Amino acid sequence: MKLDVVGRSLIRVDGLSKVTGKAIYPQDIYMEGMLYGKTLRSTKPHAYFKLDITEALKIDGVVKILTAEDVPGHNSHGVLFKDHEVLCNKKVRRVGDPMAFVVAESEKIGDEALKAIKVEYEELEALFDPSEAMKETAPQIHEGNSNIVYHYKLRKGNIEEAFKECHVLVENEYFVPMVDHAFLQPEAGIAYMEEDGTVVVAVATQYPHFDQIEVAEALGIPTERIKIINPAVGGAFGGREDITMQIHLAMAAKITGKPVKAIYSREESFEAHSKRHSVKMKYKTGATKEGKLLAMEATLIGDTGAYASWAINVMRKSGVHATGPYEIPNVKVDSYSIYTNNPFAGAMRGFGAAQVPIAYEQQMDMLAEKLNIDPVTFRLKNIFRVGSETATGQLLDESVPLDRCIEEVEKNMNFIERFKGGVAQ
Amino acid sequence: MKKRGIGFATMFYGTGYGNGFPDVSTAVAELKKDGKIVIYVGATEVGQGAKTIMSQIPAEVLGVKVEDIIFICEDTSITPDAGTAAASRQTYNTGNAIKKAAEALRDEIIKIAVEMLEVNSDTGLVIKEGSVYIKTFPSKKVAFTEIAEKIGDELLRKEATFIAHSTKMDEETGQGSPYWPYTFGACGVEVEVDTETGYVEIIKATVAQDVGKAINPTLIEGQIDGGFAMGYGYAILENLNVVKGHIKNNRFTNYLIPTAMDMPEVDKIIVEDPESTGPFGAKGIGEPVMIYVAPAILNAIYNAVGIRMTEIPVTPEKLLKALNENK
């Protein structure tokens, strides 16, 4: 098929406005008579708390201080489970949990008011290690009978028998920590009322239609009465999936009847949004002397922090991708997502499939070394090709050009030849 | 002492929400009176290039220039839901929805052109440069503006939905067909480890990325560079330092991410193998391009100094400690 436009490196249609500074980001929007919102956040990882806002309300220029009591609809949101409170009611489960939203005539007054709010904490035992949090005796972070959010089990073949037939085995433990999306534009937004009562929220997001539903539920009004405007977005990488300030702004605009703006500092941005799941990985992989992979066993423990966010989907994706792009006939994977009192973990570029290669790719190199085969040749013996079956039993019936990808890198860097000397000492 | 090492890694990545989760994108294509095409879709441009490739797809289908596509994605009150800009699903899912909407609009335009050109069939009609004409007699043609005028006050507007294919997995065995399509790739890096400071420098890298079909090669290269930087940060630099639930490194003075100054030369090789269910054969590559980077770097560190770093980030302190313990 001859194509005219597809396949051509056309200049980005939004490029010029961005490089010339003309693109409008939420932080660039100003409205007449607008107020500023500031969030009071928890400094404790796990605690009951009480707020006294009397003194803060006396400050000249403080228009309103929203707390859990002011949430008109459901005081809950979340992408999978509605386990985030819009404003925490009695309990905080992580450092950074929002407890109140101050609406003031200036940012400075807002900051003053934050300091004037008295917070009384009654601290609870906090859990920071998911292995501890998994135990039956561990305190519960959410109501329920376990901190185990999800357990994905992958079973194929018979690993016990297969490991006995392996000529080489490697076993290792790996750890990847939480990391941040570090997008360039910290969270910023402005909300206002239209004459017909529609609440408009202009905010940098990556899923405006989902925000619309969540804002509507929290405000207790029909979805059609919420409009999300998505100006230029300065990076997202998964970090804008869970609502942070959208509901706070919408509530403030509806209650005060005035435009309300909020801008997070870089430090607050780190506290506000999700992180990449930290995962503790235990791997055992075995191959025959001919260099064919025969069996793999893995346990993946994901720290999902205080809220579930995408926990189930992330750790399921880890489990599904745990073998790497290799045919392994016998596989056993147990992948868990666990609540702790750490920052909450959710979506991030790679989404569970970015953690496991730290383990499976080092396992491949270790097996290759034991077999005295170079890592590229070893992979070529085992990779997915058209007709391969994955560990979940899925048939890959087209577009599997992994061999070509490997050959291109090999051609460019001459790996096989250079690996011959083994480790450069 | 400085020691060089090489490392290699591959990866696969399943696109979309997966596991039978409804993965739906809807788009609208509309013909304006001035002959331009408006695409309405709730797909966010987060910097990945969505607006550009999602303009190229309908431009190709409708035979117009990208400048004649008006792409609107910023307002929920006028755009249909296209799902989230995540899971590397926008090019594939929403690209498909836009392609279907554009094709439906094209079919409608051609239907009207058949009447206006007074021909007995749409066979042999070509749609190009904002006109419909007879292939063997190109002077006989009708412009989009004339078609728009002909239908008067009505709007020529078509909506289409694309739903990705995935099935739920068995709860006991995890067996099933959780994602489609899968994207593949390989990465090679060369590092130089300073054994006195523990600092790892990336000297050179090569990435070969399966893309199905490249809709915009330069945008893919941009994603590969960005993905490389993110993978590099993951392997060597980024450390939130969470202590008892508190993030200690919460600013860019201590949460270190790679800058342009840290980036090595990355040779970028685009591998095409069209995916039959993708728009023009395309697959999503937003996430895949960061996945193989960190493991390739870790394998290169081993190749250089003979130490397996099983915990990231491999900061100079951590590597130096490992080097000293290994002496």
Side-chain angles (χ1 to χ4, degrees):
Chain A
M1 186 177 17
K2 192 187 161 292
L3 300 170
D4 293 321
V5 187
V6 164
R8 285 179 52 203
S9 289
L10 298 176
I11 291 174
R12 297 175 72 112
V13 298
D14 53 339
L16 190 65
S17 71
K18 284 180 176 169
V19 297
T20 56
K22 285 188 180 128
I24 305 289
Y25 292 82
Q27 194 167 345
D28 301 325
I29 304 171
Y30 295 87
M31 293 178 79
E32 212 176 299
M34 69 181 190
L35 303 171
Y36 292 86
K38 288 276 173 184
T39 316
L40 178 73
R41 295 181 182 278
S42 160
T43 57
K44 304 290 177 200
H46 201 193
Y48 288 116
F49 71 95
K50 277 188 187 131
L51 299 180
D52 179 358
I53 60 172
T54 337
E55 289 305 311
L57 276 174
K58 286 180 191 161
I59 297 172
D60 198 25
V62 172
V63 177
K64 181 82 193 164
I65 298 175
L66 300 170
T67 64
E69 289 167 19
D70 299 299
V71 182
H74 299 295
N75 187 16
S76 59
H77 67 92
V79 289
L80 288 176
F81 303 149
K82 302 293 174 190
D83 63 354
H84 282 241
E85 286 175 298
V86 173
L87 289 167
C88 293
N89 187 17
K90 289 181 186 136
K91 188 177 167 180
V92 289
R93 294 178 175 85
R94 64 167 182 127
V95 173
D97 257 347
M99 300 184 290
F101 191 68
V102 172
V103 186
E105 284 168 7
S106 73
E107 287 198 85
K108 197 164 163 276
I109 298 168
D111 284 330
E112 267 179 60
L114 286 187
K115 284 182 205 140
I117 297 174
K118 292 194 186 86
V119 191
E120 203 182 297
Y121 291 105
E122 183 196 324
E123 285 199 66
L124 298 163
E125 187 188 340
L127 297 161
F128 304 114
D129 178 352
S131 302
E132 291 296 315
M134 283 174 88
K135 290 181 181 163
E136 278 183 17
T137 50
Q140 299 309 302
I141 294 166
H142 288 269
E143 280 173 29
N145 51 17
S146 171
N147 292 320
I148 301 175
V149 183
Y150 180 65
H151 175 195
Y152 170 66
K153 285 177 277 195
L154 176 56
R155 304 284 183 266
K156 187 184 193 183
N158 183 334
I159 55 155
E160 281 81 15
E161 289 302 313
F163 277 130
K164 285 182 209 158
E165 290 170 34
C166 291
H167 296 99
V168 282
L169 282 177
V170 289
E171 271 185 88
N172 229 330
E173 286 187 32
Y174 303 86
F175 177 75
V176 294
M178 284 189 179
V179 291
D180 192 80
H181 311 75
F183 39 63
L184 275 183
Q185 176 203 8
E187 292 88 338
I190 186 164
Y192 58 92
M193 301 295 294
E194 281 185 344
E195 279 174 13
D196 66 356
T198 302
V199 185
V200 184
V201 188
V203 65
T205 176
Q206 59 194 101
Y207 192 3
H209 285 84
F210 188 72
D211 290 359
Q212 187 187 11
I213 295 167
E214 294 230 294
V215 172
E217 284 175 357
L219 264 58
I221 61 175
T223 317
E224 310 81 73
R225 307 305 278 175
I226 305 293
K227 181 153 84 176
I228 307 290
I229 306 271
N230 199 5
V233 180
F237 309 112
R240 298 186 201 272
E241 286 256 285
D242 298 88
I243 278 187
T244 50
M245 60 163 57
Q246 284 89 316
I247 300 174
H248 297 172
L249 285 172
M251 271 172 24
K254 187 153 195 296
I255 289 168
T256 64
K258 290 189 172 172
V260 182
K261 183 169 175 172
I263 303 161
Y264 290 171
S265 64
R266 179 60 65 187
E267 291 89 326
E268 189 175 12
S269 175
F270 268 103
E271 281 201 338
H273 63 251
S274 68
K275 300 287 168 272
R276 187 190 292 291
H277 276 76
S278 146
V279 187
K280 204 168 7 171
M281 303 179 277
K282 200 173 166 195
Y283 263 75
K284 182 176 173 185
T285 320
T288 65
K289 60 178 180 296
E290 292 78 29
K292 283 294 279 180
L293 290 166
L294 206 56
M296 191 203 91
E297 184 179 13
T299 307
L300 314 170
I301 298 174
D303 182 355
T304 203
Y307 299 102
S309 180
W310 285 112
I312 293 174
N313 298 38
V314 170
M315 291 314 296
R316 185 169 55 218
K317 203 153 198 170
S318 286
V320 168
H321 290 77
T323 61
Y326 307 107
E327 283 189 322
I328 311 179
N330 303 282
V331 177
K332 183 183 176 201
V333 179
D334 286 283
S335 179
Y336 299 90
S337 10
I338 310 293
Y339 279 133
T340 64
N341 296 106
N342 284 321
F344 77 100
M348 184 169 167
R349 193 184 200 181
F351 203 86
Q355 289 92 327
V356 282
I358 301 292
Y360 71 64
E361 282 302 278
Q362 296 205 79
Q363 295 282 105
M364 290 302 122
D365 269 30
M366 284 188 270
L367 284 171
E369 190 182 17
K370 279 197 168 182
L371 288 160
N372 205 20
I373 307 174
D374 74 83
V376 175
T377 306
F378 178 68
R379 283 176 175 80
L380 285 169
K381 283 176 189 280
N382 292 290
I383 53 166
F384 287 155
R385 296 168 191 269
V386 170
S388 289
E389 195 188 278
T390 68
T392 71
Q394 185 168 1
L395 172 68
L396 302 174
D397 69 343
E398 62 163 314
S399 191
V400 192
L402 181 55
D403 53 346
R404 279 173 54 202
C405 293
I406 293 174
E407 280 153 18
E408 289 288 353
V409 174
E410 160 60 24
K411 209 159 56 186
N412 204 38
M413 288 182 79
N414 196 22
F415 270 131
I416 295 177
E417 189 60 33
R418 294 174 73 193
F419 271 124
K420 274 185 184 157
V423 178
Q425 290 288 0
Chain B
M1 196 175 152
K2 287 182 174 174
K3 289 188 170 184
R4 290 257 174 136
I6 51 172
F8 188 81
T10 66
M11 69 92 219
F12 78 130
Y13 184 81
T15 306
Y17 299 148
N19 197 42
F21 208 74
D23 202 342
V24 186
S25 283
T26 300
V28 169
E30 182 185 288
L31 176 67
K32 275 184 70 188
K33 296 291 165 208
D34 61 2
K36 292 192 174 184
I37 308 292
V38 194
I39 301 293
Y40 297 94
V41 67
T44 302
E45 168 67 64
V46 292
Q48 82 278 44
K51 282 186 178 179
T52 310
I53 70 118
M54 289 181 190
S55 298
Q56 284 180 260
I57 290 169
E60 183 70 54
V61 171
L62 287 151
V64 296
K65 293 191 182 76
V66 162
E67 298 84 73
D68 292 328
I69 302 287
I70 299 162
F71 189 81
I72 295 178
C73 68
E74 292 90 355
D75 182 340
T76 54
S77 68
I78 53 170
T79 60
D81 189 346
T84 179
S88 302
R89 59 179 289 289
Q90 287 294 3
T91 295
Y92 180 77
N93 270 63
T94 308
N96 266 323
I98 291 172
K99 184 165 180 274
K100 281 174 81 177
E103 283 166 350
L105 183 67
R106 178 191 63 194
D107 292 349
E108 200 61 34
I109 288 171
I110 289 177
K111 207 167 119 192
I112 298 165
V114 167
E115 287 171 33
M116 291 173 74
L117 289 165
E118 294 176 332
V119 289
N120 57 0
S121 158
D122 58 11
T123 313
L125 289 188
V126 176
I127 186 163
K128 211 169 181 180
E129 286 167 15
S131 293
V132 185
Y133 60 85
I134 298 166
K135 196 178 175 184
T136 54
F137 192 62
S139 61
K140 186 153 183 172
K141 63 175 175 182
V142 55
F144 285 7
T145 45
E146 295 170 73
I147 290 168
E149 199 178 323
K150 167 97 164 68
I151 61 160
D153 291 339
E154 275 177 68
L155 267 180
L156 215 52
R157 186 180 160 91
K158 290 286 170 187
E159 183 176 293
T161 294
F162 177 79
I163 304 172
H165 140 88
S166 75
T167 58
K168 204 169 166 41
M169 290 175 294
D170 184 89
E171 281 188 19
E172 288 307 308
T173 64
Q175 294 291 298
S177 167
Y179 302 98
W180 193 263
Y182 287 90
T183 305
F184 304 87
C187 173
V189 296
E190 181 162 357
V191 301
E192 189 171 81
V193 179
D194 186 327
T195 55
E196 274 153 41
T197 63
Y199 179 71
V200 178
E201 191 181 351
I202 317 285
I203 304 296
K204 182 182 160 46
T206 303
V207 164
Q209 180 61 48
D210 154 39
V211 302
K213 159 81 188 165
I215 291 182
N216 188 317
T218 301
L219 284 183
I220 290 170
E221 291 188 6
Q223 285 280 39
I224 293 174
D225 277 326
F228 194 91
M230 193 175 255
Y232 171 20
Y234 196 37
I236 307 235
L237 297 170
E238 295 182 38
N239 183 6
L240 281 169
N241 193 11
V242 182
V243 181
K244 298 197 165 172
H246 291 262
I247 298 167
K248 297 289 181 188
N249 295 348
N250 63 354
R251 50 185 72 193
F252 287 159
T253 46
N254 49 21
Y255 187 82
L256 302 180
I257 56 173
T259 68
M261 298 291 283
D262 300 305
M263 278 290 284
E265 178 194 333
V266 180
D267 287 340
K268 296 168 278 273
I269 300 159
I270 294 172
V271 174
E272 292 190 319
D273 185 347
E275 158 62 39
S276 65
T277 64
F280 297 102
K283 298 179 187 176
I285 52 103
E287 294 168 285
V289 293
M290 74 77 56
I291 292 175
Y292 34 47
V293 181
I297 292 171
L298 294 171
N299 280 336
I301 292 171
Y302 177 77
N303 186 251
V305 295
I307 293 175
R308 275 276 153 224
M309 296 304 285
T310 55
E311 191 178 322
I312 53 170
V314 184
T315 56
E317 297 82 359
K318 228 186 265 175
L319 186 53
L320 211 50
K321 189 164 171 266
L323 283 164
N324 287 333
E325 281 167 5
N326 214 43
K327 263 182 188 165

